[in-house]
Amino acid sequence: MARTTVPTEAERGRGPVTARVSLGRSFTPLPLEFLLIASAALLLTLFGILMVISATTVTSMQTANNPYNDGGKHAIFAAVGIPLMLVVSRFPMGWLKRMAGIALIGAVLLQLLVFTPLGMEVGGNRNWLNFGVLSVQPSEFIKLTLAIWCAFILDRKKALLGRWKHVLVPLGPVAVVAMGTVMAGKDLGTVMVIALVVLGALFFSGVKLRYFVPPVLAAVLAIAAFAILSPNRMTRILSVFDTSCLDRYLNECYQPLHGIWGLASGGLLGLGLGNSKEKYDWLPAAADDYIFAIVGEELGLIGCLAVLALFLVLAFGAFRVVARAEDLFVRVVAGALGVWIVGQALINVGVVLRVFPALGVPLPFLSSGGSSLIAVLLACGVLLACARTLPAPADPRHVPKTHVKGSRTPA
């Protein structure tokens, strides 16, 4: 008669049970921060495609005899950028640290090419590379790579951040060189955003306030000097304080006034998608820097509030990563990228509302332009990678019960 073997407890623990545990680990729930950032980025990108198509139908018919020509190009950039965002979201922090310096050097060298025959001037700024069928704005990638490099340097020097020399060297000189290559092309708006990225990195690294104030003052003084020394910039700045601006309608007030008129004509619910009047060659850069005016004209106050709400969701997710991160590198890079995206969005909206002078700063995700869209989607990919490093919240089912003196413990 065959003898039946009873499996031991250790043997019973193997097999199906082990497979179930391993499978469970593979499907670990994503952090809330990951879901907030990813959903906001995707919705803003899809909304941007819709608005660029709507804002460019007239000009596309004039230039290419196809109403969806420019909007289709923007959709192609989105189709490239979204998978790149998801790929970057899987990058480990160690790999980002190792590539930080190489990526920044590559972005700066690419920016220097604008001063070669490949360079192209748009709107008075020499900040573009023309490759025939494709044009690239290298300064958009300087924002991303500089944020990662600043986080890498500050993390490496975290034990020395109490000394001002270690805070400012080499971060200060490298940041000045990077901004100088952009400023040489006369793009003050982009330089202001890059300065925000550096200041955001310093702020979230936790450096002492007395070390943080001098760079802020230096940035303000430098921007003021560049503005004062340029008659064109001063004219645009002073036009903001002219409440009517009608006496200079055909000059520096033309674009700001049509932006405001577009927003005002939309009212609460807007004229309807595709029914903009300003896009009929009235509003310059309707699909670029002034896309928010088209949103207000076609979708009204409700559409504008929806866009701002999505940016608020993205900001909430990014700064939750900052608050919960245990690694200084993660905290600094998430804070710097969050300041970049949200700060640039607020600057763009402020320009359309005539709170700020025209600065040539695109609205992230929405403005037409492949360089801006791909750069900001890559930045969101880095934010998602940072969100993956966050510690998992404690499972209340596994929290041990506190024994109270005098209570009976069940047998």
Side-chain angles (χ1 to χ4, degrees):
M1 183 176 180
R3 181 180 176 182
T4 304
T5 303
V6 179
T8 64
E9 184 177 352
E11 292 172 338
R12 287 196 300 269
R14 293 196 297 265
V17 176
T18 304
R20 178 175 58 81
V21 172
S22 178
L23 188 62
R25 287 176 181 171
S26 299
F27 289 93
T28 304
L30 293 169
L32 173 63
E33 294 80 4
F34 186 101
L35 298 176
L36 290 173
I37 296 168
S39 59
L42 291 173
L43 288 174
L44 282 169
T45 302
L46 294 176
F47 189 80
I49 294 172
L50 187 66
M51 291 311 305
V52 170
I53 291 174
S54 177
T56 58
T57 51
V58 176
T59 54
S60 293
M61 278 296 294
Q62 292 174 344
T63 57
N65 200 30
N66 178 3
Y68 307 112
N69 182 68
D70 294 343
K73 291 178 181 177
H74 189 76
I76 291 173
F77 286 123
V80 173
I82 290 174
L84 285 176
M85 178 185 74
L86 298 177
V87 169
V88 172
S89 72
R90 306 294 301 186
F91 285 177
M93 293 297 104
W95 192 88
L96 288 175
K97 293 178 183 179
R98 287 193 297 270
M99 296 300 296
I102 298 173
L104 179 58
I105 292 172
V108 171
L109 291 176
L110 199 62
Q111 175 65 27
L112 290 174
L113 289 178
V114 303
F115 306 110
T116 69
L118 289 173
M120 180 175 63
E121 187 172 315
V122 177
N125 297 335
R126 192 175 181 85
N127 203 21
W128 294 83
L129 293 175
N130 185 8
F131 295 106
V133 296
L134 180 68
S135 58
V136 178
Q137 190 175 7
S139 58
E140 292 296 324
F141 301 100
I142 288 181
K143 301 173 188 175
L144 172 61
T145 55
L146 188 59
I148 299 173
W149 182 82
C150 288
F152 167 68
I153 293 297
L154 293 169
D155 177 64
R156 193 175 67 176
K157 292 194 169 191
K158 57 187 172 186
L160 303 170
L161 294 182
R163 306 176 190 175
W164 68 270
K165 290 182 180 179
H166 289 281
V167 174
L168 298 180
V169 179
L171 190 146
V174 172
V176 169
V177 169
M179 288 187 283
T181 60
V182 179
M183 194 62 227
K186 303 180 181 179
D187 192 350
L188 181 59
T190 299
V191 170
M192 292 173 61
V193 176
I194 296 174
L196 276 180
V197 171
V198 177
L199 294 176
L202 286 172
F203 179 81
F204 289 109
S205 68
V207 299
K208 296 179 181 179
L209 183 61
R210 64 176 181 268
Y211 299 156
F212 183 75
V213 172
V216 174
L217 293 176
V220 171
L221 291 175
I223 291 171
F226 283 120
I228 293 171
L229 293 175
S230 171
N232 181 42
R233 294 192 188 103
M234 281 304 300
T235 302
R236 283 183 287 162
I237 292 171
L238 293 176
S239 69
V240 175
F241 300 100
D242 188 343
T243 54
S244 66
C245 218
L246 289 173
D247 54 335
R248 288 177 284 178
Y249 169 72
L250 294 178
N251 297 310
E252 65 271 7
C253 291
Y254 182 86
Q255 188 175 26
L257 283 177
H258 276 280
I260 285 290
W261 293 341
L263 282 171
S265 63
L268 180 64
L269 300 177
L271 303 178
L273 188 64
N275 293 331
S276 167
K277 298 176 182 178
E278 292 293 338
K279 69 182 180 181
Y280 284 85
D281 274 349
W282 287 106
L283 176 62
D288 302 319
D289 303 343
Y290 275 76
I291 188 72
F292 192 73
I294 303 300
V295 173
E297 185 182 13
E298 296 190 347
L299 302 179
L301 177 63
I302 300 300
C304 292
L305 292 178
V307 171
L308 295 177
L310 288 174
F311 276 109
L312 182 62
V313 170
L314 192 147
F316 182 66
F319 294 121
R320 270 184 62 98
V321 173
V322 175
R324 293 189 57 215
E326 297 176 350
D327 183 11
L328 180 63
F329 174 81
V330 173
R331 187 161 63 248
V332 174
V333 75
L337 293 177
V339 167
W340 161 26
I341 297 172
V342 178
Q344 183 170 315
L346 292 176
I347 291 172
N348 178 276
V349 173
V351 168
V352 176
L353 294 174
R354 287 197 69 209
V355 176
F356 306 129
L359 295 170
V361 174
L363 182 59
F365 300 103
L366 273 73
S367 291
S368 175
S371 300
S372 174
L373 181 59
I374 290 180
V376 79
L377 286 173
L378 288 174
C380 287
V382 175
L383 285 173
L384 295 177
C386 292
R388 289 183 183 274
T389 68
L390 298 178
D395 190 341
R397 295 173 298 179
H398 297 157
V399 176
K401 296 181 180 180
T402 305
H403 178 66
V404 181
K405 187 175 180 180
S407 63
R408 295 182 60 185
T409 304

